[in-house]
Amino acid sequence: MAWLGLSPLLWGWRILPTTSVSGQARDTGVEPRMTVHPRRALAGSHQQVHFELSVGEQPIVAGGGVRIELPVAYLETAPSYWDQPQTNTPEGRGYVRARASNGAKIVITLGGATGGIIECIVMDASLDGGESIEIDYVGIVQSLTWDLAVRVEWRGNAQEPWQSISELPTVDIAPQTARTLFAVAPAELQRDTEFDLAVVLLDQFGNRATGYRGIVTLTSTDPRIELPRPYTFTEADAGVHVFENVKYGTLGFQRIDVTAGELHGRSNYSEVSDALPRLRRYFGESHFHTGSGTNHEGFTTTGAGGDHRGHFTSAEAAYAYLRDVIRLDFGSSAEHDAPAFTDQVWERSQQITDSFNVPGRFTTFFAYEWTAAPSEGHHVIVYPERGGKAFNQRDYPTQRDIWAAFDEQGKPVIMIPHVMWAQPDHRIWSQVSNKYRRVGEIYSLWNNRFLLQPGDEPQRFEEGVDNPWSYQYAWHRGHRIGVIGSSDNHIGHPGANNYTTSTQQAGGLVGVLTSSNTREAIWEALDARRTYATSGVRILLSVTADGHHMGEEYATDQPPQIVVRVAGTNKIQTVEIVKHDSRGYRTIWQHEPDSETGSFEHIDDDFTEDSFYYVRVFQVDEFSRGAWAYPSNEMAWSSPIWVEKSGS
């Protein structure tokens, strides 16, 4: 976003109109009172924000002062938060200046884990009741629409500790206009049976476009579908409307297209049958972070824990976004096991997670991230029930340490490898244990363009039998692990991925094949490795070998027959079957369907020894969806199927 430069002349020190949190005029009460203007700002907009601390009954003398903390971030999350404060360039973004109403000298110090703390110290005089310290900030405010309760602390002199004020000023962040839309339908449906279709409108940053009041019209690939009439969005919809009683009338892969003025979107494909299959596809997001992991601890000097971008986001809001906006079927908040992630915080995390679990609608799991040394590999630890211990990386620094702890604890648990940097000394796959590592992230934000300019590297952690960070390396060395996608989201918008053109928090999705949307059923699918990964879109994928599903192991003396069914979110470029045996990896079958859907089969007549197979799907390139023209082949990967040669 281009910066709207401001002239230094705008920094004339007139008193801007302010609004108290309580709506009352400034007074000389017992404690200081902080006000902020404006009280409302457009997401991602350029603002001049004026903060004013009115001194209370106790004067503020030399060494005393006020400090505020703004949400500032780094790396791929930086554009979602406020510009980092700075005092050197008045024309630059994030410029901060402070003054005292009585002319006392104020010195500004900037600090904090991400540079978001603005500390203003009185140097040479005192401020009495009714006098004030004023702070002005000019820059881009957050593009995330949770309302910001600005953290404020004050002290009367240099010897006193910093203390909070009882009423924090709030900046309400409003979404921009609708920029993109999509629809969500169940992946499997029965013909002539009613289902719900959700239509979602987002602004350019992935926020729910609550102000949309336009008309949406639905069409479909199914000529026999029963569709609702055009619908006008209302204030109550707040950017999301669920159409009930929709029915497909034609078998096969079907989708619904949505038009809202100049905006065009579509649903995921649904596979329509005369009877629902025993195993159905559900999509989830197993790995996101929020400030709840540190109890939203403020004025931090370290970035560890929680969202480690200031700890402003909340698990409650993230779960609600995942469920009500992105409309995924399941998810898990996975806070970092930093020192601030105490047993009490872990218990609170489990309470929040449990409160969002609704069998049949939305499933949650209890998770945290074991952030051991990079060479050991970070892992997401997932429990299907409350009461599992959060074994931290300080007390359990190696994979063998935490596996021994799991053994002693005796509770069901899955340990999901979260591969990040491709580093030669990686030891994430050095220890083979298939008991707890049932599935692993083959795609996350660590594959995407915003960490690895200029383009995505979707196969970064898949390929390379000699790359110690790759899944081909792991499988070759005996790890029998399935694959999932996830995000490692740190901005409170898990699952947003590729729906929005401006967010820099993309990631993957996990698809599971299971009987129902419940903890028991989804856990069974994860443990059985009946999973697949996508680069962030709802590609439908089903792979079997002689009727055995992804993740299974079986024996045969006959050439395996591999059957693939796929429905993309765009035209499919290539479907490939990759095989591994003593001769290494090779693509044994490749097809270019020139369509968005297809069903294919292949018999491996060269089956002479123990082998395993997995399928990868490439969609066509999509260009110019964001700030750069970048390649974005959306992909999907199946978990392998391991086939033993009988009698070998």
Side-chain angles (χ1 to χ4, degrees), residues 195-199 231 233 237 240-244 324 327:
F195 67 92
D196 291 345
L197 175 78
V199 174
Y231 175 80
F233 268 61
D237 290 319
V240 178
H241 184 76
V242 177
F243 293 92
E244 300 175 339
D324 301 332
R327 317 290 296 192

Side-chain angles (χ1 to χ4, degrees), residues 23-75:
Q24 299 176 354
R26 185 174 67 190
D27 64 2
T28 56
V30 173
E31 70 169 9
R33 181 184 301 275
M34 175 67 84
T35 60
V36 61
H37 177 85
R39 285 289 308 278
R40 184 175 175 85
L42 198 63
S45 63
H46 192 277
Q47 297 286 333
Q48 178 172 342
V49 184
H50 181 82
F51 304 91
E52 184 171 342
L53 182 85
S54 298
V55 178
E57 189 173 85
Q58 177 184 346
I60 295 179
V61 302
V66 62
R67 63 180 185 174
I68 64 175
E69 184 175 17
L70 300 177
V72 172
Y74 58 91
L75 290 178

